[in-house]
Amino acid sequence: IRWWVIASAGSFRLSDGTVEQKFKGQEYLAGQTVLIDELSLQKAPPALARADIMSMCGVPVLVDGVTVGAIEIFSRNSAAFTSADVDRLTACAKQTATAVLCAKTSEELRRVTEEKDLLHEIIGFVASEITVDQLLIKVADSLGNYFSASAVAAFMVQRLPQMNKANAVLARNFSRMDMETLKEIFAKRWPSTTSDGESAKAQNRLPGALNYFVEKFSAGRSIYMLPLFSRDLLQGIIVLMWEYERRSDFHSHIDETLRLVATQTALGIERQHLYSGVEKIGLTDALTGLANRRLFNFLIDREINRSRRYGRPVSLLMMDIDFFKRINDTWGHPAGDIVLRDLGALV
């Protein structure tokens, strides 16, 4: 707890400080009124002694029974304040508490509205027809703007045998060394497998309710990492950075919103991957990975139309494997499949 002097009038000013440094701070926190007739008998702050202050009166400002501040008055005369002064100061403190409560309510409403706007914007990105890279960039930028981050980065996670590869799709104001450091952090926090062969899915599962991380970074900076999980699989990572050390609970008031942001974004990434997979299955040959007849028909029509539009010739090259039937008859169809795959790779 720290006390801040936000307003003062007179020949002196008390300094900010912790609750231990604040004169009569413990009494205020306990909701007690302070009335001192002779400060010379107390261990008063040096600023009061230098100003020849002899007496004081202070009352806590209570909001819902919790001390949020205090109002104090001072005098160079001994026993300058009466019970009537205490009553007037208490009434002033109650009015102040009402104003503080109204301000807090207004701030809460503004914050809730901003959170809803953020979530609405990101759900709009998820629902739109954009690529995975574009989705990650838009979501990362929105979070960076919301939290006034100095730098923002986004990674798409590619799951490969024995590893998770984090490919950067956005690196705004991060240096190349910073990006390498981030990848090292990812590798330690979300490894793919363990020495005993534990699956990537089990390793990448969220530890309990913890789904975000705030860590100190180099040169006194701090980073915030939001992993994007869908069905217990890491789909991507968004990183924000500030040029100063930030508290680990700085975003606790929007925990639920951030969880929704992470979940919706991860689902959007997974949906795009599934769509791309279905599209690839429908337009490519399963054996060779080359374009199939359906894609050929689409492309040849497009190229012929382009040729007519610009008055340019179009060429079509056809290839054949000589005596391919002999290969299948002699060494079998598996051997023929190998020939087809290798020829497709050469083409």
Side-chain angles (χ1 to χ4, degrees), residues 271-328:
R271 186 192 66 185
Q272 289 292 346
H273 285 323
L274 290 173
Y275 176 78
S276 299
V278 170
E279 186 178 45
K280 184 176 181 180
I281 290 173
L283 299 176
T284 58
D285 174 67
L287 177 64
T288 63
L290 301 177
N292 62 15
R293 177 67 176 269
R294 183 180 293 107
L295 183 55
F296 169 79
N297 289 340
F298 168 76
L299 292 177
I300 195 65
D301 286 343
R302 188 184 69 179
E303 293 306 313
I304 290 174
N305 289 332
R306 196 207 307 263
S307 172
R308 290 170 177 166
R309 185 165 61 250
Y310 294 105
R312 295 176 180 174
V314 61
S315 299
L316 177 63
L317 173 67
M318 299 186 66
M319 298 178 61
D320 186 31
I321 301 177
D322 288 339
F323 311 112
F324 184 67
K325 184 176 183 300
R326 187 182 301 172
I327 295 174
N328 284 330

Side-chain angles (χ1 to χ4, degrees), residues 121-128 135 139 264-265 267-268 271-272:
E121 182 179 46
I122 288 176
I123 289 177
F125 297 152
V126 173
S128 61
L135 174 59
V139 172
Q264 291 296 321
T265 305
L267 288 173
R271 186 192 66 185
Q272 289 292 346

Side-chain angles (χ1 to χ4, degrees), residues 181-190 215 217 223 225:
T181 302
L182 288 177
K183 290 182 179 181
E184 292 175 5
I185 294 174
F186 299 159
K188 291 179 181 178
R189 190 172 289 279
W190 299 293
E215 292 190 0
F217 207 51
I223 57 171
M225 294 179 287

Side-chain angles (χ1 to χ4, degrees), residues 21 170 213 229 232 273 295:
Q21 296 169 330
L170 174 66
F213 307 91
F229 279 86
D232 291 336
H273 285 323
L295 183 55

Side-chain angles (χ1 to χ4, degrees), residues 3 10 12 21 23 40 42 49 63 71 93 105 115 128 130 145 169 181 183 193 210 242 253 255 274 304 307 315 319:
W3 288 84
F12 69 94
Q21 296 169 330
F23 184 55
S40 61
Q42 303 278 335
V63 175
I71 300 176
T105 302
E115 287 179 25
S128 61
I130 57 178
N145 291 334
V169 299
T181 302
K183 290 182 179 181
T193 58
L210 188 63
W242 294 267
H253 60 287
D255 274 357
L274 290 173
I304 290 174
S307 172
S315 299
M319 298 178 61

